[in-house]
Amino acid sequence: MQLSFWAMSFLCFFVFLAGFVDSAAGGGGLISLPAFFFVGVPTHHAIGCNKFSAACGTTFSAFRFFTHKALDWKVAGISAIFSFFTSFLGTKLALKIDPITLKTVFIIVLPIVAVFLLLKRNFGSENKSFEIPQKKAFILAGGIGSVIGFYDGLIGPGTGTFAIIAYSMWMKYDLKNASGNAKILNLASNYASVIAVILSNKVIYSIALPVAVCNIIGNYLGSGFALKKGAAFIRPLMIIVILLLFGKIFFDVFGSMIF
């Protein structure tokens, strides 16, 4: 499949934007995947190309957080291991249950999360993770990896955002370090998905490779802003991502009734 110059330019821009947002606040798929659909990439190939480009971008973003020591490698590593396996289980379960039921729950939960972030202005502004004993920290890391990985396999959109919130709320990381931890967790689930789509021949490399470069650039620049600005930059982006996710899920559940 070949895209026109303008279609490819459109796609590259939005995948770049998705990488920029995802590197700091998660939720980049809410921007990039609709762009693939808009230019006419078939559904399964759109998912494959999106997973491929996202994995490439997240790799560079995670590396940048790691080199700036803006993550806890042990905690993130434990989360990533659990995330890899539970993401697979979530994907298997997603084929057997009605996802609309779960999405209806999120229509109630997401506005509450958005209001919480708006009202609690000091959320994630200070790193107090050292207050948690190491054994408890490892247990929490495994729990976060399991829950977020399972969600990623079951539903998907907003995985990085929920991971950041979990690390900040349960483990007392500031948003910068929580975002760094979330990148490692996301890498595990992304690579599991990439292996699956490659083995299923769902990646169109003439499209996936150029947009992967754009996603890498977006992730690199976005992670730079996140590292420099911290919570002041990440928190507003998280609110935007949550509102986008709410809009998407609301449309998925009630769109057919409205239109």
Side-chain angles (χ1 to χ4, degrees):
M1 179 181 181
Q2 294 293 329
L3 296 178
S4 68
F5 171 79
W6 294 110
M8 198 68 194
S9 298
F10 174 90
L11 184 59
C12 283
F13 172 76
F14 279 98
V15 172
F16 162 81
L17 182 62
F20 185 88
V21 172
D22 195 66
S23 65
L30 296 169
I31 299 170
S32 59
L33 193 55
F36 280 102
F37 294 148
F38 186 83
V39 298
V41 180
T43 302
H44 291 110
H45 288 90
I47 294 171
C49 291
N50 186 60
K51 288 291 185 183
F52 182 89
S53 64
C56 292
T58 303
T59 300
F60 278 78
S61 177
F63 181 75
R64 194 166 192 193
F65 274 93
F66 175 72
T67 56
H68 283 78
K69 298 181 180 180
L71 58 83
D72 187 327
W73 179 249
K74 290 182 180 179
V75 166
I78 291 172
S79 294
I81 292 170
F82 280 87
S83 172
F84 186 91
F85 291 106
T86 58
S87 179
F88 176 80
L89 294 175
T91 302
K92 297 288 285 185
L93 183 60
L95 301 174
K96 299 180 180 180
I97 66 173
D98 179 17
I100 296 299
T101 303
L102 292 168
K103 289 179 178 180
T104 303
V105 174
F106 275 91
I107 288 175
I108 300 171
V109 173
L110 288 172
I112 296 173
V113 175
V115 170
F116 172 80
L117 290 174
L118 282 168
L119 295 179
K120 197 171 179 61
R121 296 187 177 276
N122 63 340
F123 177 74
S125 60
E126 188 176 354
N127 189 357
K128 296 183 178 180
S129 59
F130 57 86
E131 296 178 354
I132 300 177
Q134 188 176 66
K135 185 177 180 180
K136 183 180 179 181
F138 289 166
I139 293 172
L140 286 172
I144 291 172
S146 298
V147 173
I148 300 299
F150 186 74
Y151 169 82
D152 192 23
L154 193 63
I155 299 177
T159 298
T161 308
F162 290 129
I164 294 171
I165 292 172
Y167 283 123
S168 294
M169 186 177 295
W170 294 346
M171 300 191 70
K172 300 183 180 181
Y173 285 99
D174 59 19
L175 291 180
K176 182 173 69 175
N177 283 274
S179 185
N181 290 342
K183 294 296 163 290
I184 304 301
L185 187 158
N186 256 351
L187 271 183
S189 57
N190 277 346
Y191 280 136
S193 298
V194 166
I195 291 170
V197 295
I198 289 176
L199 292 176
S200 301
N201 294 315
K202 298 301 181 184
V203 180
I204 305 172
Y205 292 100
S206 61
I207 297 173
L209 289 172
V211 298
V213 173
C214 296
N215 194 271
I216 289 170
I217 296 171
N219 266 277
Y220 184 82
L221 294 176
S223 58
F225 273 90
L227 288 165
K228 290 178 182 178
K229 304 295 184 179
F233 174 72
I234 297 171
R235 198 167 66 89
L237 274 184
M238 289 176 64
I239 294 170
I240 293 171
V241 169
I242 288 170
L243 293 176
L244 286 173
L245 180 56
F246 174 78
K248 179 187 182 300
I249 292 178
F250 186 89
F251 184 82
D252 288 345
V253 175
F254 298 111
S256 59
M257 301 179 188
I258 299 172
F259 297 100

